[in-house]
Amino acid sequence: MPPCAVAAGRAGASQISATVRMAPGQNGASTNITVKLANVSPGGIHPWEAHLGQCGAGMDDGVFGPTEAYKPLKVESDGMATGTATVPVLTPSTGSYFVVVHASVANPETIIACGNLAPPTQ
């Protein structure tokens, strides 16, 4: 995933970087999604999820799988956070997907990062 976009209105905010991996789960009937964030304010707790579509207004077709699968990310003292969600949905081989990271549980409307996933390779 390319560097995530910094949300509008956060001028001067540091550029969050992320890597995301979407892969088949062990049973073949689920998908594991792993996100790793860097350059985030230490101590923060950020809800996140994968969505169908693309980052940007009007391009969101909803959360990929149940929202309960995505546990909030806790940022460590080094500005890094890692989380994995196991979604009970077959791993897609086509389509557009993105990951969104929210400011906090209390402020889910504010997006601090959004990044499109690259299409699968064969």
Side-chain angles (χ1 to χ4, degrees):
M1 179 169 99
C4 294
V6 174
R10 289 185 40 93
S14 60
Q15 185 72 28
I16 295 170
S17 62
T19 56
V20 177
R21 183 171 187 270
M22 181 184 280
Q26 288 184 334
N27 64 8
S30 64
T31 300
N32 291 331
I33 305 163
T34 301
V35 62
K36 295 180 182 182
L37 299 179
N39 207 27
V40 187
S41 295
I45 298 178
H46 302 285
W48 70 284
E49 63 270 329
H51 286 242
L52 291 82
Q54 298 270 318
C55 290
M59 302 292 289
D60 187 345
D61 293 323
V63 176
F64 178 69
T67 57
E68 306 81 48
Y70 301 92
K71 304 300 181 218
L73 301 168
K74 180 170 182 356
V75 184
E76 301 297 331
S77 60
D78 62 359
M80 308 281 284
T82 302
T84 299
T86 300
V87 179
V89 178
L90 289 174
T91 304
S93 60
T94 62
S96 297
Y97 299 87
F98 67 99
V99 168
V100 63
V101 180
H102 304 275
S104 68
V105 173
N107 186 9
E109 299 82 22
T110 299
I111 306 298
I112 62 166
C114 185
N116 296 317
L117 276 68
T121 57
Q122 300 299 328

